[in-house]
Coordinates of all heavy atoms in Angstrom, one line a residue:
M1 N 117.1 123.6 138.1 CA 115.9 122.8 137.7 C 115.1 123.7 136.6 O 114.9 124.8 136.7 CB 115.0 122.6 138.9 CG 113.7 121.9 138.6 SD 112.8 121.5 140.1 CE 112.1 120.0 139.6
R2 N 114.8 123.0 135.6 CA 114.1 123.6 134.5 C 112.6 123.8 134.8 O 111.9 122.9 135.3 CB 114.2 122.7 133.2 CG 113.6 123.2 132.0 CD 114.0 122.4 130.8 NE 113.1 121.4 130.3 CZ 112.0 121.7 129.6 NH1 111.7 122.9 129.3 NH2 111.2 120.8 129.1
T3 N 112.1 125.0 134.5 CA 110.6 125.2 134.7 C 109.9 125.0 133.4 O 110.4 125.1 132.3 CB 110.3 126.6 135.2 OG1 110.8 127.5 134.2 CG2 111.0 126.9 136.5
I4 N 108.7 124.5 133.6 CA 107.9 124.2 132.4 C 106.8 125.2 132.3 O 106.1 125.5 133.3 CB 107.3 122.8 132.6 CG1 108.4 121.7 132.7 CG2 106.3 122.4 131.4 CD1 107.9 120.3 133.0
D5 N 106.6 125.7 131.1 CA 105.5 126.6 130.8 C 104.3 125.8 130.5 O 104.1 125.3 129.4 CB 105.9 127.6 129.7 CG 104.8 128.5 129.3 OD1 103.6 128.4 129.9 OD2 105.0 129.4 128.5
L6 N 103.5 125.5 131.5 CA 102.4 124.5 131.3 C 101.4 125.1 130.3 O 100.8 124.3 129.6 CB 101.7 124.2 132.7 CG 102.5 123.4 133.6 CD1 101.8 123.2 134.9 CD2 102.9 122.0 133.0
Q7 N 101.1 126.4 130.3 CA 100.2 126.9 129.4 C 100.6 126.6 127.9 O 99.9 126.3 127.1 CB 100.0 128.4 129.6 CG 98.8 129.0 128.8 CD 97.5 128.3 129.1 OE1 97.2 127.9 130.2 NE2 96.7 128.1 128.1
A8 N 101.9 126.8 127.7 CA 102.5 126.6 126.3 C 102.3 125.1 126.0 O 102.0 124.7 124.8 CB 103.9 127.0 126.2
E9 N 102.6 124.2 127.0 CA 102.5 122.8 126.7 C 101.0 122.4 126.5 O 100.8 121.6 125.6 CB 103.0 122.0 127.9 CG 104.5 122.3 128.2 CD 105.4 122.0 127.0 OE1 105.2 121.0 126.2 OE2 106.4 122.7 126.8
I10 N 100.1 123.0 127.2 CA 98.7 122.7 127.0 C 98.3 123.1 125.6 O 97.6 122.4 124.8 CB 97.8 123.4 128.0 CG1 98.0 122.7 129.4 CG2 96.4 123.4 127.6 CD1 97.4 123.5 130.5
V11 N 98.7 124.3 125.1 CA 98.4 124.8 123.8 C 99.0 123.8 122.7 O 98.3 123.5 121.8 CB 98.9 126.2 123.6 CG1 98.9 126.6 122.1 CG2 98.1 127.2 124.5
Q12 N 100.2 123.4 122.9 CA 100.9 122.5 122.0 C 100.2 121.2 121.9 O 99.9 120.7 120.8 CB 102.4 122.3 122.3 CG 103.1 121.5 121.3 CD 104.6 121.3 121.6 OE1 105.1 121.8 122.6 NE2 105.3 120.6 120.8
L13 N 99.8 120.6 123.0 CA 99.1 119.3 123.0 C 97.7 119.5 122.5 O 97.2 118.6 121.8 CB 99.1 118.7 124.4 CG 100.4 118.2 124.9 CD1 100.3 117.8 126.4 CD2 100.9 117.0 124.1
S14 N 97.0 120.6 122.7 CA 95.7 120.9 122.2 C 95.8 120.9 120.7 O 94.9 120.4 120.0 CB 95.1 122.1 122.8 OG 94.9 122.0 124.2
Y15 N 96.8 121.6 120.2 CA 96.9 121.8 118.7 C 97.2 120.4 118.1 O 96.6 120.1 117.1 CB 98.1 122.7 118.4 CG 98.3 122.9 116.9 CD1 97.3 123.7 116.2 CD2 99.3 122.4 116.2 CE1 97.5 123.8 114.8 CE2 99.5 122.5 114.9 CZ 98.5 123.3 114.2 OH 98.7 123.4 112.8
L16 N 98.0 119.6 118.7 CA 98.2 118.2 118.2 C 96.9 117.4 118.2 O 96.6 116.7 117.3 CB 99.3 117.5 119.1 CG 99.9 116.3 118.6 CD1 100.7 116.5 117.3 CD2 100.9 115.7 119.6
G17 N 96.1 117.6 119.3 CA 94.8 116.9 119.3 C 93.9 117.4 118.2 O 93.2 116.6 117.6
V18 N 93.9 118.7 117.9 CA 93.1 119.2 116.8 C 93.6 118.6 115.5 O 92.8 118.2 114.6 CB 93.2 120.7 116.7 CG1 92.6 121.3 115.4 CG2 92.4 121.3 117.9
E19 N 94.9 118.5 115.3 CA 95.4 117.9 114.1 C 94.9 116.4 113.9 O 94.6 116.0 112.8 CB 96.9 117.9 114.1 CG 97.5 119.3 113.8 CD 99.0 119.3 113.7 OE1 99.5 119.0 112.6 OE2 99.7 119.5 114.7
F20 N 94.9 115.6 115.1 CA 94.4 114.3 115.0 C 93.0 114.3 114.6 O 92.5 113.4 113.8 CB 94.6 113.6 116.4 CG 95.9 112.9 116.5 CD1 96.9 113.4 117.4 CD2 96.2 111.7 115.8 CE1 98.1 112.7 117.5 CE2 97.4 111.1 116.0 CZ 98.4 111.6 116.8
E21 N 92.2 115.1 115.2 CA 90.7 115.2 114.9 C 90.5 115.6 113.5 O 89.6 115.0 112.8 CB 90.0 116.2 115.8 CG 89.9 115.8 117.3 CD 89.4 116.8 118.2 OE1 89.1 117.9 117.7 OE2 89.3 116.5 119.4
D22 N 91.3 116.5 113.0 CA 91.1 116.9 111.5 C 91.5 115.8 110.6 O 90.8 115.5 109.6 CB 92.0 118.1 111.2 CG 91.5 119.4 111.8 OD1 90.4 119.5 112.3 OD2 92.3 120.4 111.8
L23 N 92.5 115.0 110.9 CA 92.9 113.9 110.1 C 91.9 112.8 110.2 O 91.5 112.2 109.1 CB 94.3 113.3 110.6 CG 94.8 112.1 109.8 CD1 95.0 112.5 108.4 CD2 96.1 111.7 110.5
C24 N 91.3 112.6 111.4 CA 90.2 111.6 111.5 C 89.0 112.0 110.6 O 88.5 111.1 109.9 CB 89.8 111.5 112.9 SG 88.5 110.2 113.2
G25 N 88.7 113.2 110.6 CA 87.6 113.7 109.8 C 87.9 113.6 108.3 O 87.0 113.2 107.5
A26 N 89.1 113.8 107.9 CA 89.6 113.7 106.5 C 89.5 112.3 106.1 O 89.1 112.0 105.0 CB 91.0 114.3 106.3
V27 N 89.9 111.3 106.9 CA 89.9 109.9 106.6 C 88.4 109.5 106.4 O 88.1 108.8 105.5 CB 90.6 109.1 107.6 CG1 90.4 107.6 107.4 CG2 92.1 109.4 107.6
R28 N 87.6 109.9 107.4 CA 86.2 109.5 107.3 C 85.4 110.0 106.1 O 84.5 109.4 105.6 CB 85.5 109.9 108.6 CG 85.9 109.0 109.8 CD 85.1 109.4 111.0 NE 85.5 108.5 112.1 CZ 85.1 108.5 113.3 NH1 84.2 109.5 113.6 NH2 85.5 107.7 114.2
S29 N 85.9 111.1 105.6 CA 85.2 111.7 104.5 C 85.7 111.3 103.1 O 85.2 111.6 102.1 CB 85.3 113.3 104.5 OG 86.6 113.7 104.3
L30 N 86.7 110.4 103.1 CA 87.2 109.9 101.8 C 86.2 109.0 101.2 O 85.5 108.3 101.8 CB 88.5 109.0 102.1 CG 89.7 109.7 102.5 CD1 90.8 108.7 102.7 CD2 90.2 110.7 101.4
T31 N 86.0 109.2 99.9 CA 85.2 108.3 99.1 C 86.1 107.4 98.3 O 86.8 107.9 97.4 CB 84.3 109.1 98.1 OG1 83.5 110.0 98.9 CG2 83.4 108.2 97.3
L32 N 86.2 106.2 98.7 CA 87.2 105.3 98.1 C 86.5 104.2 97.2 O 85.4 103.8 97.4 CB 87.9 104.6 99.2 CG 88.7 105.5 100.1 CD1 89.3 104.6 101.3 CD2 89.8 106.2 99.4
A33 N 87.2 103.9 96.1 CA 86.8 102.9 95.2 C 88.1 102.1 94.9 O 89.2 102.7 95.0 CB 86.2 103.5 94.0
P34 N 88.0 100.9 94.4 CA 89.2 100.2 94.1 C 90.0 101.0 93.0 O 89.5 101.6 92.1 CB 88.7 98.9 93.5 CG 87.4 98.7 94.1 CD 86.8 100.1 94.2
G35 N 91.3 101.0 93.2 CA 92.2 101.7 92.2 C 93.3 102.5 92.8 O 93.4 102.6 94.0
T36 N 94.1 103.0 91.9 CA 95.3 103.7 92.3 C 95.0 105.0 93.1 O 95.7 105.4 94.0 CB 96.2 104.0 91.0 OG1 96.5 102.8 90.4 CG2 97.4 104.7 91.4
E37 N 94.0 105.7 92.6 CA 93.7 107.0 93.3 C 93.3 106.8 94.8 O 93.8 107.6 95.6 CB 92.5 107.7 92.6 CG 92.2 109.1 93.2 CD 93.3 110.1 93.2 OE1 94.2 110.0 92.3 OE2 93.4 110.9 94.2
S38 N 92.6 105.8 95.1 CA 92.3 105.5 96.5 C 93.6 105.1 97.3 O 93.7 105.6 98.4 CB 91.3 104.3 96.6 OG 90.1 104.6 96.1
R39 N 94.4 104.4 96.6 CA 95.7 104.1 97.3 C 96.5 105.4 97.6 O 97.0 105.5 98.7 CB 96.5 103.1 96.4 CG 97.8 102.7 97.1 CD 98.5 101.6 96.3 NE 98.8 102.0 94.9 CZ 99.9 102.6 94.5 NH1 100.8 102.9 95.3 NH2 100.0 102.9 93.2
H40 N 96.5 106.3 96.7 CA 97.2 107.5 96.9 C 96.6 108.3 98.0 O 97.3 108.9 98.9 CB 97.3 108.4 95.6 CG 98.2 107.9 94.5 ND1 99.5 107.6 94.8 CD2 97.9 107.5 93.3 CE1 100.0 107.1 93.6 NE2 99.1 107.1 92.7
Q41 N 95.3 108.4 98.0 CA 94.5 109.1 99.1 C 94.8 108.5 100.5 O 95.1 109.2 101.4 CB 93.0 109.1 98.8 CG 92.6 109.9 97.7 CD 91.1 109.8 97.5 OE1 90.3 109.6 98.4 NE2 90.6 109.9 96.2
L42 N 94.8 107.2 100.5 CA 95.1 106.5 101.8 C 96.5 106.6 102.2 O 96.8 106.9 103.4 CB 94.7 105.0 101.7 CG 93.2 104.7 101.7 CD1 93.0 103.2 101.4 CD2 92.6 105.1 103.0
T43 N 97.4 106.6 101.3 CA 98.8 106.7 101.6 C 99.2 108.0 102.2 O 99.9 108.1 103.2 CB 99.7 106.5 100.3 OG1 99.5 105.1 99.9 CG2 101.2 106.6 100.6
S44 N 98.6 109.1 101.7 CA 98.8 110.4 102.2 C 98.3 110.5 103.6 O 98.9 111.2 104.5 CB 98.3 111.5 101.3 OG 96.9 111.5 101.3
K45 N 97.2 109.9 103.9 CA 96.6 110.0 105.3 C 97.4 109.1 106.2 O 97.6 109.5 107.4 CB 95.1 109.5 105.2 CG 94.2 110.3 104.3 CD 94.2 111.8 104.6 CE 93.2 112.5 103.7 NZ 93.6 113.8 103.4
I46 N 97.9 108.0 105.8 CA 98.7 107.1 106.6 C 100.0 107.9 107.0 O 100.5 107.8 108.1 CB 99.0 105.8 106.0 CG1 97.7 105.0 105.9 CG2 100.1 105.0 106.7 CD1 97.8 103.7 105.0
L47 N 100.6 108.5 106.0 CA 101.8 109.3 106.3 C 101.6 110.4 107.2 O 102.4 110.7 108.1 CB 102.4 109.8 104.9 CG 103.0 108.7 104.0 CD1 103.4 109.4 102.7 CD2 104.1 108.0 104.6
A48 N 100.5 111.1 107.1 CA 100.1 112.2 108.0 C 99.9 111.6 109.4 O 100.4 112.2 110.4 CB 98.8 112.9 107.5
A49 N 99.3 110.5 109.5 CA 99.1 109.9 110.9 C 100.4 109.5 111.5 O 100.6 109.7 112.7 CB 98.1 108.6 110.7
N50 N 101.3 108.9 110.7 CA 102.6 108.5 111.2 C 103.4 109.7 111.7 O 104.0 109.7 112.7 CB 103.4 107.8 110.1 CG 103.0 106.4 109.9 OD1 102.3 105.8 110.7 ND2 103.3 105.8 108.7
E51 N 103.2 110.8 111.0 CA 103.9 112.1 111.4 C 103.4 112.6 112.7 O 104.1 113.0 113.6 CB 103.8 113.2 110.3 CG 104.4 114.5 110.7 CD 105.9 114.4 111.1 OE1 106.6 113.5 110.7 OE2 106.4 115.4 111.7
L52 N 102.1 112.5 112.9 CA 101.5 113.0 114.2 C 101.9 112.1 115.3 O 102.2 112.5 116.4 CB 99.9 113.0 114.0 CG 99.4 114.1 113.2 CD1 97.9 114.0 113.0 CD2 99.6 115.5 113.9
V53 N 101.9 110.8 115.1 CA 102.3 109.8 116.1 C 103.8 110.0 116.4 O 104.2 110.0 117.6 CB 102.0 108.4 115.6 CG1 102.7 107.3 116.6 CG2 100.5 108.1 115.6
R54 N 104.6 110.3 115.5 CA 106.0 110.6 115.7 C 106.2 111.8 116.6 O 107.1 111.8 117.5 CB 106.8 110.8 114.4 CG 108.3 111.0 114.5 CD 108.9 111.5 113.3 NE 108.5 112.8 112.9 CZ 108.9 114.0 113.5 NH1 109.7 113.9 114.5 NH2 108.5 115.1 113.1
R55 N 105.4 112.8 116.4 CA 105.5 114.1 117.2 C 104.9 114.0 118.6 O 105.3 114.8 119.4 CB 104.8 115.2 116.4 CG 105.6 115.6 115.2 CD 104.9 116.6 114.3 NE 104.0 117.6 115.0 CZ 102.9 118.0 114.4 NH1 102.5 117.6 113.2 NH2 102.1 118.8 115.1
T56 N 104.0 113.0 118.8 CA 103.3 113.0 120.1 C 104.2 112.8 121.3 O 104.1 113.6 122.3 CB 102.3 111.9 120.1 OG1 101.3 112.2 119.0 CG2 101.5 111.8 121.4
P57 N 105.2 111.9 121.3 CA 106.0 111.7 122.5 C 106.8 113.0 122.9 O 106.9 113.4 124.0 CB 107.0 110.6 122.2 CG 106.3 109.8 121.2 CD 105.5 110.8 120.4
A58 N 107.3 113.7 121.8 CA 108.1 114.9 122.1 C 107.2 116.0 122.6 O 107.6 116.8 123.5 CB 108.8 115.4 120.8
A59 N 106.0 116.1 122.1 CA 105.0 117.1 122.6 C 104.6 116.8 124.1 O 104.4 117.7 124.8 CB 103.8 117.2 121.7
A60 N 104.5 115.5 124.4 CA 104.0 115.2 125.8 C 105.2 115.1 126.8 O 104.9 115.2 128.0 CB 103.3 113.8 125.7
A61 N 106.4 115.1 126.3 CA 107.5 114.9 127.2 C 107.6 115.9 128.4 O 107.7 115.6 129.5 CB 108.8 114.9 126.5
P62 N 107.5 117.2 128.1 CA 107.6 118.2 129.2 C 106.4 118.0 130.3 O 106.7 118.2 131.5 CB 107.4 119.5 128.5 CG 107.9 119.3 127.1 CD 107.4 117.9 126.8
A63 N 105.3 117.6 129.8 CA 104.1 117.5 130.7 C 104.3 116.2 131.6 O 103.8 116.2 132.7 CB 102.8 117.4 130.0
T64 N 105.1 115.3 131.1 CA 105.3 114.1 131.9 C 106.7 114.1 132.7 O 107.0 113.2 133.4 CB 105.4 112.8 131.0 OG1 106.4 113.0 130.1 CG2 104.0 112.7 130.3
G65 N 107.4 115.2 132.5 CA 108.7 115.4 133.3 C 109.9 114.8 132.6 O 110.9 114.7 133.2
H66 N 109.7 114.4 131.3 CA 110.8 113.8 130.6 C 111.4 114.9 129.6 O 110.6 115.7 129.1 CB 110.4 112.6 129.8 CG 109.9 111.5 130.7 ND1 108.6 111.3 131.1 CD2 110.6 110.5 131.3 CE1 108.5 110.3 131.9 NE2 109.7 109.7 132.0
A67 N 112.7 114.8 129.3 CA 113.3 115.7 128.4 C 112.9 115.4 127.0 O 112.6 114.3 126.7 CB 114.8 115.6 128.5
R68 N 112.9 116.4 126.2 CA 112.6 116.3 124.8 C 113.7 115.7 124.0 O 114.8 115.9 124.2 CB 112.2 117.6 124.1 CG 110.8 118.0 124.4 CD 110.4 119.2 123.6 NE 109.0 119.5 124.1 CZ 108.3 120.5 123.6 NH1 108.8 121.3 122.7 NH2 107.1 120.7 124.0

């Protein structure tokens, strides 16, 4: 049976939470106006959000008892 280092898992999930909070702050601080620059700013934030969402199940797997 595989043992889980819960402290390491807590740290990893906490770091992921901080990344989500930072991204939320970055999105809220955007000053947007119609145009290409706004689209570029939003696209980079959407891609960052997608990456965080992609990483979340793998980060939570050990804490829920599922393999990565």
Side-chain angles (χ1 to χ4, degrees):
M1 178 175 216
R2 179 170 105 76
T3 59
I4 298 171
D5 181 352
L6 289 179
Q7 189 59 38
E9 298 305 322
I10 290 168
V11 169
Q12 183 176 2
L13 289 171
S14 293
Y15 182 70
L16 195 61
V18 168
E19 288 185 85
F20 271 110
E21 289 174 1
D22 289 348
L23 180 60
C24 182
V27 169
R28 288 183 177 177
S29 70
L30 289 176
T31 302
L32 301 174
T36 302
E37 183 57 33
S38 292
R39 185 173 52 92
H40 289 305
Q41 290 178 32
L42 287 172
T43 299
S44 69
K45 302 305 182 212
I46 291 168
L47 292 173
N50 284 342
E51 176 60 19
L52 287 172
V53 169
R54 184 194 65 76
R55 290 176 25 217
T56 300
T64 61
H66 295 91
R68 282 188 182 179

